Amino acid sequence: MNRNELLKMVSGIEDRVMVSRILDKVEQCRYSSFAYSDFLSPHEVVVSKRVLNKVDGIFFTFTGGYEGAERVMAAMSSDFIDNDDALNNAPISCVRITPVIDKKLSHRDYLGSILGLGIKREKIGDILVYESYGDVFLVDKIAEYILFNLDKIGNVRAECQLQQVYQYTPPERKEKIINTTVASVRADSVTASGFGMSRTKVMEYFKAQRVFVNWEMVSNPSKQLSEGDVISIRGKGRIVLDKIGGTTKKDRINIVIRRFE
């Protein structure tokens, strides 16, 4: 497929701009070993996979600096590329930001202070917030700028230190296992069970276009789900429909949901 045909696969101006940039990188990697996109959101990963699968002669994978990263770069090559190759060559750095006083800071605090330096969101990967510090993954060209210019998170003085990406141990993800039954595996039913909400409340989120399945907005609450589908509500977190089992005597369906906290 040519470039125009590939772009027609994508709806939405922002997604088309993102895909256009990735296709520029595709051309670049035909003349060099690897090419990397900026950091992509989970939704952008879904869109870019759809397009890259239609590009002949290109191998690709994704890496965010550690296993399980949410925001990742697309790593592309004209030769076979695996996850280790992608990580070892990725232009990703990790900066640890430590407030000098004991104060609980949020993901929004860290992100806001970094964006306040004029850095674009696509240059920033995951921000992992711990009790006494935050680890920020970013495009490596930005790391030095952060080290010398970021001295506060919000109104709290902070110190920055470069970390070794290749030795980084990702945090354990806290999750809750929910065994329950539903009348059907419709999106609204599974979402209500996973988030512990009434169907009425869940419908409000659908109407407000805040419900996503596999990072694509879903407005139809009757959408049928499958094992492995990721359901998220903007601002409320996410769940995974981990398993669909048999039916009960009352014809309800046994399901297992993982809810990330």
Side-chain angles (χ1 to χ4, degrees):
M1 297 178 70
N2 62 39
R3 187 185 185 99
N4 287 336
E5 290 173 326
L6 292 168
L7 288 172
K8 286 180 180 178
M9 294 174 58
V10 183
S11 60
I13 295 175
E14 291 184 358
D15 284 348
R16 285 191 177 186
V17 170
M18 180 272 296
V19 167
S20 182
R21 289 173 179 166
I22 286 182
L23 293 178
D24 289 342
K25 294 294 184 179
V26 166
E27 291 304 313
Q28 177 184 326
C29 79
R30 296 187 191 278
Y31 305 101
S32 59
S33 298
F34 298 97
Y36 290 85
S37 70
D38 284 329
F39 284 102
L40 305 172
S41 69
H43 166 73
E44 290 170 333
V45 170
V46 172
V47 174
S48 61
K49 277 183 180 179
R50 189 184 307 146
V51 172
L52 288 171
N53 277 324
K54 298 294 184 180
V55 179
D56 293 331
I58 292 297
F59 298 89
F60 67 92
T61 186
F62 296 88
T63 182
Y66 70 96
E67 185 177 353
E70 181 172 291
R71 291 180 61 83
V72 294
M73 293 179 173
M76 295 156 282
S77 176
S78 55
D79 296 318
F80 177 76
I81 179 174
D82 60 22
N83 291 337
D84 288 338
D85 292 334
L87 177 59
N88 291 336
N89 292 279
I92 298 175
S93 292
C94 177
V95 174
R96 178 161 295 175
I97 305 173
T98 307
V100 298
I101 62 173
D102 186 16
K103 182 176 180 180
K104 187 174 179 60
L105 297 171
S106 68
H107 181 282
R108 181 178 295 183
D109 293 323
Y110 285 96
L111 177 61
S113 294
I114 295 170
L115 294 177
L117 295 177
I119 295 172
K120 294 181 179 179
R121 184 66 179 99
E122 59 264 28
K123 302 298 181 182
I124 308 167
D126 282 359
I127 300 175
L128 305 177
V129 179
Y130 300 88
E131 286 190 11
S132 57
Y133 60 88
D135 286 337
V136 182
F137 290 81
L138 8 72
V139 174
D140 57 6
K141 292 181 180 179
I142 304 298
E144 186 173 355
Y145 182 80
I146 292 287
L147 290 172
F148 286 100
N149 290 279
L150 184 67
D151 56 5
K152 286 185 178 181
I153 300 297
N155 59 0
V156 179
R157 286 190 58 248
E159 298 175 346
C160 299
Q161 185 178 20
L162 199 62
Q163 302 296 299
Q164 290 292 330
V165 171
Y166 312 117
Q167 299 176 0
Y168 194 83
T169 301
E172 292 187 9
R173 302 181 72 178
K174 295 181 180 179
E175 61 181 59
K176 180 181 180 181
I177 304 298
I178 302 169
N179 291 278
T180 188
T181 63
V182 289
S184 72
V185 288
R186 287 170 43 127
D188 56 351
S189 183
V190 174
T191 302
S193 295
F195 286 95
M197 298 179 181
S198 68
R199 293 280 287 275
T200 301
K201 184 63 177 179
V202 164
M203 289 302 297
E204 293 178 8
Y205 289 114
F206 275 99
K207 291 177 181 178
Q209 299 187 337
R210 292 177 60 183
V211 181
F212 297 80
V213 175
N214 299 326
W215 294 283
E216 294 190 288
M217 193 274 292
V218 172
S219 57
N220 180 11
S222 64
K223 176 182 174 64
Q224 295 292 304
L225 302 182
S226 304
E227 285 188 359
D229 281 348
V230 180
I231 307 98
S232 57
I233 298 177
R234 183 176 294 152
K236 294 292 183 180
R238 76 172 66 113
I239 60 174
V240 175
L241 179 55
D242 197 49
K243 184 178 180 180
I244 301 174
T247 57
T248 68
K249 292 179 180 180
K250 295 183 178 180
D251 288 329
R252 291 180 64 83
I253 303 170
N254 291 296
I255 62 171
V256 178
I257 295 171
R258 288 187 293 138
R259 181 174 177 179
F260 298 102
E261 301 177 344

